[in-house]
PDB file of all heavy atoms in Angstrom:
ATOM      1  N   LEU A   1     -87.853-125.449  61.320  1.00 98.00           N
ATOM      2  CA  LEU A   1     -87.275-124.082  61.142  1.00 98.00           C
ATOM      3  C   LEU A   1     -86.090-123.925  62.074  1.00 98.00           C
ATOM      4  O   LEU A   1     -86.166-124.149  63.351  1.00 98.00           O
ATOM      5  CB  LEU A   1     -88.259-123.060  61.447  1.00 98.00           C
ATOM      6  CG  LEU A   1     -89.168-122.579  60.165  1.00 98.00           C
ATOM      7  CD1 LEU A   1     -89.995-123.717  59.593  1.00 98.00           C
ATOM      8  CD2 LEU A   1     -90.067-121.445  60.552  1.00 98.00           C
ATOM      9  N   ALA A   2     -84.956-123.421  61.641  1.00 97.00           N
ATOM     10  CA  ALA A   2     -83.782-123.055  62.372  1.00 97.00           C
ATOM     11  C   ALA A   2     -84.190-121.810  63.262  1.00 97.00           C
ATOM     12  O   ALA A   2     -85.094-121.085  62.924  1.00 97.00           O
ATOM     13  CB  ALA A   2     -82.644-122.858  61.517  1.00 97.00           C
ATOM     14  N   PRO A   3     -83.425-121.542  64.304  1.00 97.00           N
ATOM     15  CA  PRO A   3     -83.675-120.436  65.148  1.00 97.00           C
ATOM     16  C   PRO A   3     -83.745-119.091  64.330  1.00 97.00           C
ATOM     17  O   PRO A   3     -84.637-118.271  64.623  1.00 97.00           O
ATOM     18  CB  PRO A   3     -82.482-120.416  66.146  1.00 97.00           C
ATOM     19  CG  PRO A   3     -82.178-121.812  66.267  1.00 97.00           C
ATOM     20  CD  PRO A   3     -82.329-122.448  64.916  1.00 97.00           C
ATOM     21  N   ALA A   4     -82.831-118.954  63.382  1.00 97.00           N
ATOM     22  CA  ALA A   4     -82.878-117.715  62.563  1.00 97.00           C
ATOM     23  C   ALA A   4     -84.196-117.615  61.775  1.00 97.00           C
ATOM     24  O   ALA A   4     -84.725-116.594  61.581  1.00 97.00           O
ATOM     25  CB  ALA A   4     -81.641-117.713  61.639  1.00 97.00           C
ATOM     26  N   ALA A   5     -84.648-118.798  61.214  1.00 97.00           N
ATOM     27  CA  ALA A   5     -85.845-118.843  60.487  1.00 97.00           C
ATOM     28  C   ALA A   5     -87.067-118.503  61.359  1.00 97.00           C
ATOM     29  O   ALA A   5     -88.018-117.853  60.902  1.00 97.00           O
ATOM     30  CB  ALA A   5     -86.060-120.128  59.712  1.00 97.00           C
ATOM     31  N   LEU A   6     -87.036-119.040  62.573  1.00 98.00           N
ATOM     32  CA  LEU A   6     -88.139-118.749  63.517  1.00 98.00           C
ATOM     33  C   LEU A   6     -88.196-117.184  63.836  1.00 98.00           C
ATOM     34  O   LEU A   6     -89.225-116.555  63.952  1.00 98.00           O
ATOM     35  CB  LEU A   6     -87.919-119.515  64.784  1.00 98.00           C
ATOM     36  CG  LEU A   6     -88.239-120.993  64.723  1.00 98.00           C
ATOM     37  CD1 LEU A   6     -87.780-121.721  65.976  1.00 98.00           C
ATOM     38  CD2 LEU A   6     -89.735-121.201  64.507  1.00 98.00           C
ATOM     39  N   LYS A   7     -87.024-116.629  63.934  1.00 97.00           N
ATOM     40  CA  LYS A   7     -86.942-115.171  64.114  1.00 97.00           C
ATOM     41  C   LYS A   7     -87.450-114.412  62.964  1.00 97.00           C
ATOM     42  O   LYS A   7     -88.180-113.425  63.057  1.00 97.00           O
ATOM     43  CB  LYS A   7     -85.510-114.712  64.435  1.00 97.00           C
ATOM     44  CG  LYS A   7     -85.350-113.268  64.773  1.00 97.00           C
ATOM     45  CD  LYS A   7     -83.835-112.950  65.088  1.00 97.00           C
ATOM     46  CE  LYS A   7     -83.675-111.470  65.263  1.00 97.00           C
ATOM     47  NZ  LYS A   7     -82.175-111.136  65.561  1.00 97.00           N
ATOM     48  N   ASP A   8     -87.129-114.878  61.698  1.00 97.00           N
ATOM     49  CA  ASP A   8     -87.587-114.269  60.524  1.00 97.00           C
ATOM     50  C   ASP A   8     -89.156-114.346  60.447  1.00 97.00           C
ATOM     51  O   ASP A   8     -89.858-113.435  60.039  1.00 97.00           O
ATOM     52  CB  ASP A   8     -87.095-114.982  59.323  1.00 97.00           C
ATOM     53  CG  ASP A   8     -85.583-114.819  59.151  1.00 97.00           C
ATOM     54  OD1 ASP A   8     -84.986-113.857  59.636  1.00 97.00           O
ATOM     55  OD2 ASP A   8     -84.880-115.686  58.493  1.00 97.00           O
ATOM     56  N   LEU A   9     -89.632-115.565  60.797  1.00 98.00           N
ATOM     57  CA  LEU A   9     -91.094-115.782  60.757  1.00 98.00           C
ATOM     58  C   LEU A   9     -91.900-114.820  61.646  1.00 98.00           C
ATOM     59  O   LEU A   9     -92.891-114.307  61.224  1.00 98.00           O
ATOM     60  CB  LEU A   9     -91.476-117.239  61.163  1.00 98.00           C
ATOM     61  CG  LEU A   9     -92.917-117.655  61.202  1.00 98.00           C
ATOM     62  CD1 LEU A   9     -93.535-117.505  59.786  1.00 98.00           C
ATOM     63  CD2 LEU A   9     -93.036-118.985  61.701  1.00 98.00           C
ATOM     64  N   LYS A  10     -91.343-114.680  62.848  1.00 97.00           N
ATOM     65  CA  LYS A  10     -91.979-113.803  63.793  1.00 97.00           C
ATOM     66  C   LYS A  10     -92.007-112.343  63.206  1.00 97.00           C
ATOM     67  O   LYS A  10     -93.109-111.617  63.344  1.00 97.00           O
ATOM     68  CB  LYS A  10     -91.236-113.753  65.085  1.00 97.00           C
ATOM     69  CG  LYS A  10     -91.785-112.904  66.270  1.00 97.00           C
ATOM     70  CD  LYS A  10     -91.010-113.073  67.534  1.00 97.00           C
ATOM     71  CE  LYS A  10     -91.662-112.311  68.719  1.00 97.00           C
ATOM     72  NZ  LYS A  10     -91.588-110.858  68.538  1.00 97.00           N
ATOM     73  N   ARG A  11     -90.906-111.881  62.654  1.00 96.00           N
ATOM     74  CA  ARG A  11     -90.846-110.512  62.094  1.00 96.00           C
ATOM     75  C   ARG A  11     -91.820-110.398  60.914  1.00 96.00           C
ATOM     76  O   ARG A  11     -92.548-109.434  60.755  1.00 96.00           O
ATOM     77  CB  ARG A  11     -89.435-110.184  61.612  1.00 96.00           C
ATOM     78  CG  ARG A  11     -89.235-108.846  61.108  1.00 96.00           C
ATOM     79  CD  ARG A  11     -87.772-108.636  60.668  1.00 96.00           C
ATOM     80  NE  ARG A  11     -86.951-108.730  61.818  1.00 96.00           N
ATOM     81  CZ  ARG A  11     -85.777-109.434  61.794  1.00 96.00           C
ATOM     82  NH1 ARG A  11     -85.366-110.037  60.695  1.00 96.00           N
ATOM     83  NH2 ARG A  11     -85.053-109.511  62.911  1.00 96.00           N
ATOM     84  N   ILE A  12     -91.839-111.468  60.015  1.00 97.00           N
ATOM     85  CA  ILE A  12     -92.780-111.363  58.879  1.00 97.00           C
ATOM     86  C   ILE A  12     -94.177-111.305  59.300  1.00 97.00           C
ATOM     87  O   ILE A  12     -94.960-110.513  58.734  1.00 97.00           O
ATOM     88  CB  ILE A  12     -92.499-112.642  57.951  1.00 97.00           C
ATOM     89  CG1 ILE A  12     -91.159-112.462  57.235  1.00 97.00           C
ATOM     90  CG2 ILE A  12     -93.608-112.775  56.988  1.00 97.00           C
ATOM     91  CD1 ILE A  12     -90.653-113.749  56.627  1.00 97.00           C
ATOM     92  N   GLU A  13     -94.562-112.023  60.335  1.00 97.00           N
ATOM     93  CA  GLU A  13     -95.922-112.006  60.799  1.00 97.00           C
ATOM     94  C   GLU A  13     -96.272-110.747  61.460  1.00 97.00           C
ATOM     95  O   GLU A  13     -97.374-110.159  61.284  1.00 97.00           O
ATOM     96  CB  GLU A  13     -96.131-113.187  61.797  1.00 97.00           C
ATOM     97  CG  GLU A  13     -96.130-114.533  61.163  1.00 97.00           C
ATOM     98  CD  GLU A  13     -96.192-115.726  62.165  1.00 97.00           C
ATOM     99  OE1 GLU A  13     -95.871-115.419  63.373  1.00 97.00           O
ATOM    100  OE2 GLU A  13     -96.649-116.797  61.785  1.00 97.00           O
ATOM    101  N   GLU A  14     -95.338-110.117  62.159  1.00 96.00           N
ATOM    102  CA  GLU A  14     -95.503-108.777  62.834  1.00 96.00           C
ATOM    103  C   GLU A  14     -95.749-107.688  61.829  1.00 96.00           C
ATOM    104  O   GLU A  14     -96.437-106.704  62.015  1.00 96.00           O
ATOM    105  CB  GLU A  14     -94.320-108.436  63.724  1.00 96.00           C
ATOM    106  CG  GLU A  14     -94.293-109.297  65.005  1.00 96.00           C
ATOM    107  CD  GLU A  14     -92.988-109.090  65.836  1.00 96.00           C
ATOM    108  OE1 GLU A  14     -92.061-108.434  65.308  1.00 96.00           O
ATOM    109  OE2 GLU A  14     -92.918-109.548  66.962  1.00 96.00           O
ATOM    110  N   LEU A  15     -95.073-107.926  60.681  1.00 96.00           N
ATOM    111  CA  LEU A  15     -95.203-106.939  59.575  1.00 96.00           C
ATOM    112  C   LEU A  15     -96.539-107.076  58.697  1.00 96.00           C
ATOM    113  O   LEU A  15     -96.791-106.301  57.922  1.00 96.00           O
ATOM    114  CB  LEU A  15     -94.025-106.972  58.618  1.00 96.00           C
ATOM    115  CG  LEU A  15     -92.626-106.516  59.222  1.00 96.00           C
ATOM    116  CD1 LEU A  15     -91.539-106.815  58.253  1.00 96.00           C
ATOM    117  CD2 LEU A  15     -92.689-105.061  59.592  1.00 96.00           C
ATOM    118  N   GLY A  16     -97.255-108.109  58.991  1.00 96.00           N
ATOM    119  CA  GLY A  16     -98.512-108.356  58.351  1.00 96.00           C
ATOM    120  C   GLY A  16     -98.470-109.237  57.162  1.00 96.00           C
ATOM    121  O   GLY A  16     -99.399-109.124  56.327  1.00 96.00           O
ATOM    122  N   PHE A  17     -97.365-109.989  57.006  1.00 97.00           N
ATOM    123  CA  PHE A  17     -97.226-110.834  55.748  1.00 97.00           C
ATOM    124  C   PHE A  17     -97.193-112.271  56.049  1.00 97.00           C
ATOM    125  O   PHE A  17     -96.654-113.083  55.314  1.00 97.00           O
ATOM    126  CB  PHE A  17     -95.912-110.445  55.060  1.00 97.00           C
ATOM    127  CG  PHE A  17     -95.896-109.022  54.549  1.00 97.00           C
ATOM    128  CD1 PHE A  17     -95.114-108.096  55.217  1.00 97.00           C
ATOM    129  CD2 PHE A  17     -96.609-108.636  53.434  1.00 97.00           C
ATOM    130  CE1 PHE A  17     -95.087-106.727  54.773  1.00 97.00           C
ATOM    131  CE2 PHE A  17     -96.640-107.324  52.939  1.00 97.00           C
ATOM    132  CZ  PHE A  17     -95.832-106.351  53.656  1.00 97.00           C
ATOM    133  N   GLY A  18     -97.891-112.675  57.179  1.00 96.00           N
ATOM    134  CA  GLY A  18     -97.882-114.082  57.523  1.00 96.00           C
ATOM    135  C   GLY A  18     -98.713-115.024  56.735  1.00 96.00           C
ATOM    136  O   GLY A  18     -98.737-116.207  57.066  1.00 96.00           O
ATOM    137  N   LYS A  19     -99.410-114.571  55.749  1.00 96.00           N
ATOM    138  CA  LYS A  19    -100.262-115.428  54.950  1.00 96.00           C
ATOM    139  C   LYS A  19     -99.786-115.486  53.397  1.00 96.00           C
ATOM    140  O   LYS A  19    -100.546-116.017  52.638  1.00 96.00           O
ATOM    141  CB  LYS A  19    -101.749-114.924  54.948  1.00 96.00           C
ATOM    142  CG  LYS A  19    -102.296-115.015  56.417  1.00 96.00           C
ATOM    143  CD  LYS A  19    -102.408-116.370  56.918  1.00 96.00           C
ATOM    144  CE  LYS A  19    -102.998-116.389  58.382  1.00 96.00           C
ATOM    145  NZ  LYS A  19    -104.398-115.942  58.491  1.00 96.00           N
ATOM    146  N   LEU A  20     -98.640-114.993  53.178  1.00 97.00           N
ATOM    147  CA  LEU A  20     -98.132-114.991  51.758  1.00 97.00           C
ATOM    148  C   LEU A  20     -97.813-116.393  51.334  1.00 97.00           C
ATOM    149  O   LEU A  20     -97.510-117.331  52.126  1.00 97.00           O
ATOM    150  CB  LEU A  20     -96.818-114.165  51.646  1.00 97.00           C
ATOM    151  CG  LEU A  20     -96.996-112.623  51.753  1.00 97.00           C
ATOM    152  CD1 LEU A  20     -95.623-111.946  51.545  1.00 97.00           C
ATOM    153  CD2 LEU A  20     -97.953-112.073  50.702  1.00 97.00           C
ATOM    154  N   PRO A  21     -97.856-116.687  50.024  1.00 97.00           N
ATOM    155  CA  PRO A  21     -97.378-117.939  49.437  1.00 97.00           C
ATOM    156  C   PRO A  21     -95.924-118.100  49.773  1.00 97.00           C
ATOM    157  O   PRO A  21     -95.218-117.095  50.127  1.00 97.00           O
ATOM    158  CB  PRO A  21     -97.628-117.825  47.953  1.00 97.00           C
ATOM    159  CG  PRO A  21     -98.656-116.751  47.784  1.00 97.00           C
ATOM    160  CD  PRO A  21     -98.392-115.812  48.972  1.00 97.00           C
ATOM    161  N   VAL A  22     -95.455-119.334  49.678  1.00 97.00           N
ATOM    162  CA  VAL A  22     -94.060-119.600  49.970  1.00 97.00           C
ATOM    163  C   VAL A  22     -93.303-120.152  48.757  1.00 97.00           C
ATOM    164  O   VAL A  22     -93.886-120.844  47.919  1.00 97.00           O
ATOM    165  CB  VAL A  22     -93.827-120.596  51.145  1.00 97.00           C
ATOM    166  CG1 VAL A  22     -94.255-119.988  52.443  1.00 97.00           C
ATOM    167  CG2 VAL A  22     -94.587-121.878  50.919  1.00 97.00           C
ATOM    168  N   CYS A  23     -92.072-119.773  48.590  1.00 96.00           N
ATOM    169  CA  CYS A  23     -91.238-120.127  47.443  1.00 96.00           C
ATOM    170  C   CYS A  23     -89.934-120.818  48.048  1.00 96.00           C
ATOM    171  O   CYS A  23     -89.104-120.127  48.568  1.00 96.00           O
ATOM    172  CB  CYS A  23     -90.877-118.854  46.672  1.00 96.00           C
ATOM    173  SG  CYS A  23     -89.754-119.175  45.250  1.00 96.00           S
ATOM    174  N   VAL A  24     -89.930-122.167  47.998  1.00 96.00           N
ATOM    175  CA  VAL A  24     -88.820-122.871  48.573  1.00 96.00           C
ATOM    176  C   VAL A  24     -87.506-122.764  47.714  1.00 96.00           C
ATOM    177  O   VAL A  24     -87.613-123.084  46.442  1.00 96.00           O
ATOM    178  CB  VAL A  24     -89.193-124.351  48.867  1.00 96.00           C
ATOM    179  CG1 VAL A  24     -87.983-125.143  49.442  1.00 96.00           C
ATOM    180  CG2 VAL A  24     -90.349-124.407  49.743  1.00 96.00           C
ATOM    181  N   ALA A  25     -86.436-122.446  48.305  1.00 94.00           N
ATOM    182  CA  ALA A  25     -85.162-122.421  47.599  1.00 94.00           C
ATOM    183  C   ALA A  25     -84.341-123.560  48.064  1.00 94.00           C
ATOM    184  O   ALA A  25     -83.940-123.666  49.261  1.00 94.00           O
ATOM    185  CB  ALA A  25     -84.381-121.120  47.890  1.00 94.00           C
ATOM    186  N   LYS A  26     -84.101-124.553  47.167  1.00 95.00           N
ATOM    187  CA  LYS A  26     -83.349-125.740  47.546  1.00 95.00           C
ATOM    188  C   LYS A  26     -82.710-126.393  46.394  1.00 95.00           C
ATOM    189  O   LYS A  26     -82.830-125.866  45.220  1.00 95.00           O
ATOM    190  CB  LYS A  26     -84.274-126.777  48.196  1.00 95.00           C
ATOM    191  CG  LYS A  26     -85.184-127.493  47.287  1.00 95.00           C
ATOM    192  CD  LYS A  26     -85.950-128.648  47.957  1.00 95.00           C
ATOM    193  CE  LYS A  26     -86.762-129.487  47.001  1.00 95.00           C
ATOM    194  NZ  LYS A  26     -85.951-130.273  46.049  1.00 95.00           N
ATOM    195  N   THR A  27     -81.971-127.404  46.549  1.00 94.00           N
ATOM    196  CA  THR A  27     -81.331-128.133  45.459  1.00 94.00           C
ATOM    197  C   THR A  27     -82.272-128.679  44.472  1.00 94.00           C
ATOM    198  O   THR A  27     -83.330-129.216  44.793  1.00 94.00           O
ATOM    199  CB  THR A  27     -80.325-129.272  45.953  1.00 94.00           C
ATOM    200  OG1 THR A  27     -79.756-129.884  44.788  1.00 94.00           O
ATOM    201  CG2 THR A  27     -81.111-130.301  46.753  1.00 94.00           C
ATOM    202  N   PRO A  28     -81.955-128.588  43.143  1.00 93.00           N
ATOM    203  CA  PRO A  28     -82.873-129.228  42.185  1.00 93.00           C
ATOM    204  C   PRO A  28     -82.549-130.753  41.919  1.00 93.00           C
ATOM    205  O   PRO A  28     -83.295-131.426  41.197  1.00 93.00           O
ATOM    206  CB  PRO A  28     -82.537-128.459  40.866  1.00 93.00           C
ATOM    207  CG  PRO A  28     -81.105-128.094  41.032  1.00 93.00           C
ATOM    208  CD  PRO A  28     -80.972-127.842  42.472  1.00 93.00           C
ATOM    209  N   PHE A  29     -81.432-131.163  42.567  1.00 94.00           N
ATOM    210  CA  PHE A  29     -81.051-132.567  42.252  1.00 94.00           C
ATOM    211  C   PHE A  29     -81.660-133.639  43.101  1.00 94.00           C
ATOM    212  O   PHE A  29     -81.462-134.818  42.898  1.00 94.00           O
ATOM    213  CB  PHE A  29     -79.533-132.682  42.442  1.00 94.00           C
ATOM    214  CG  PHE A  29     -78.714-131.753  41.489  1.00 94.00           C
ATOM    215  CD1 PHE A  29     -77.683-131.040  41.921  1.00 94.00           C
ATOM    216  CD2 PHE A  29     -79.144-131.668  40.145  1.00 94.00           C
ATOM    217  CE1 PHE A  29     -76.974-130.128  41.118  1.00 94.00           C
ATOM    218  CE2 PHE A  29     -78.433-130.847  39.322  1.00 94.00           C
ATOM    219  CZ  PHE A  29     -77.361-130.099  39.731  1.00 94.00           C
ATOM    220  N   SER A  30     -82.463-133.239  44.090  1.00 96.00           N
ATOM    221  CA  SER A  30     -83.111-134.127  45.012  1.00 96.00           C
ATOM    222  C   SER A  30     -84.401-133.566  45.445  1.00 96.00           C
ATOM    223  O   SER A  30     -84.682-132.325  45.450  1.00 96.00           O
ATOM    224  CB  SER A  30     -82.252-134.459  46.224  1.00 96.00           C
ATOM    225  OG  SER A  30     -82.881-135.178  47.219  1.00 96.00           O
ATOM    226  N   LEU A  31     -85.364-134.446  45.907  1.00 96.00           N
ATOM    227  CA  LEU A  31     -86.596-133.975  46.498  1.00 96.00           C
ATOM    228  C   LEU A  31     -86.353-133.495  47.874  1.00 96.00           C
ATOM    229  O   LEU A  31     -87.251-132.865  48.534  1.00 96.00           O
ATOM    230  CB  LEU A  31     -87.537-135.153  46.572  1.00 96.00           C
ATOM    231  CG  LEU A  31     -88.074-135.682  45.151  1.00 96.00           C
ATOM    232  CD1 LEU A  31     -88.757-137.061  45.305  1.00 96.00           C
ATOM    233  CD2 LEU A  31     -89.026-134.661  44.514  1.00 96.00           C
ATOM    234  N   THR A  32     -85.170-133.669  48.421  1.00 97.00           N
ATOM    235  CA  THR A  32     -84.753-133.209  49.758  1.00 97.00           C
ATOM    236  C   THR A  32     -83.884-132.050  49.608  1.00 97.00           C
ATOM    237  O   THR A  32     -83.674-131.483  48.497  1.00 97.00           O
ATOM    238  CB  THR A  32     -84.019-134.307  50.538  1.00 97.00           C
ATOM    239  OG1 THR A  32     -82.731-134.403  50.028  1.00 97.00           O
ATOM    240  CG2 THR A  32     -84.728-135.630  50.415  1.00 97.00           C
ATOM    241  N   ASP A  33     -83.229-131.540  50.707  1.00 96.00           N
ATOM    242  CA  ASP A  33     -82.285-130.490  50.628  1.00 96.00           C
ATOM    243  C   ASP A  33     -80.872-130.996  50.410  1.00 96.00           C
ATOM    244  O   ASP A  33     -79.922-130.209  50.189  1.00 96.00           O
ATOM    245  CB  ASP A  33     -82.305-129.698  51.984  1.00 96.00           C
ATOM    246  CG  ASP A  33     -81.722-130.602  53.189  1.00 96.00           C
ATOM    247  OD1 ASP A  33     -82.320-131.652  53.386  1.00 96.00           O
ATOM    248  OD2 ASP A  33     -80.799-130.124  53.754  1.00 96.00           O
ATOM    249  N   ASP A  34     -80.777-132.298  50.301  1.00 95.00           N
ATOM    250  CA  ASP A  34     -79.407-132.934  50.125  1.00 95.00           C
ATOM    251  C   ASP A  34     -79.323-133.372  48.709  1.00 95.00           C
ATOM    252  O   ASP A  34     -79.910-134.367  48.259  1.00 95.00           O
ATOM    253  CB  ASP A  34     -79.264-134.164  51.067  1.00 95.00           C
ATOM    254  CG  ASP A  34     -77.939-134.828  50.887  1.00 95.00           C
ATOM    255  OD1 ASP A  34     -77.077-134.431  50.104  1.00 95.00           O
ATOM    256  OD2 ASP A  34     -77.704-135.948  51.629  1.00 95.00           O
TER     257      ASP A  34
END
């Protein structure tokens, strides 16, 4: 997690949503982000 994502995570957990499912947004052309 990048610093901005860590900040997002902290806020999401403080709001009570720390157990939600996750939906990854990434390229469809690879199993990676590249």
Side-chain angles (χ1 to χ4, degrees):
L1 272 62
L6 289 169
K7 184 179 178 181
D8 294 335
L9 178 63
K10 184 174 184 293
R11 182 178 301 136
I12 288 167
E13 290 175 339
E14 289 173 348
L15 293 173
F17 297 105
K19 300 295 179 67
L20 288 181
V22 290
C23 177
V24 179
K26 74 171 186 70
T27 178
F29 299 135
S30 172
L31 294 164
T32 75
D33 68 303
D34 179 4

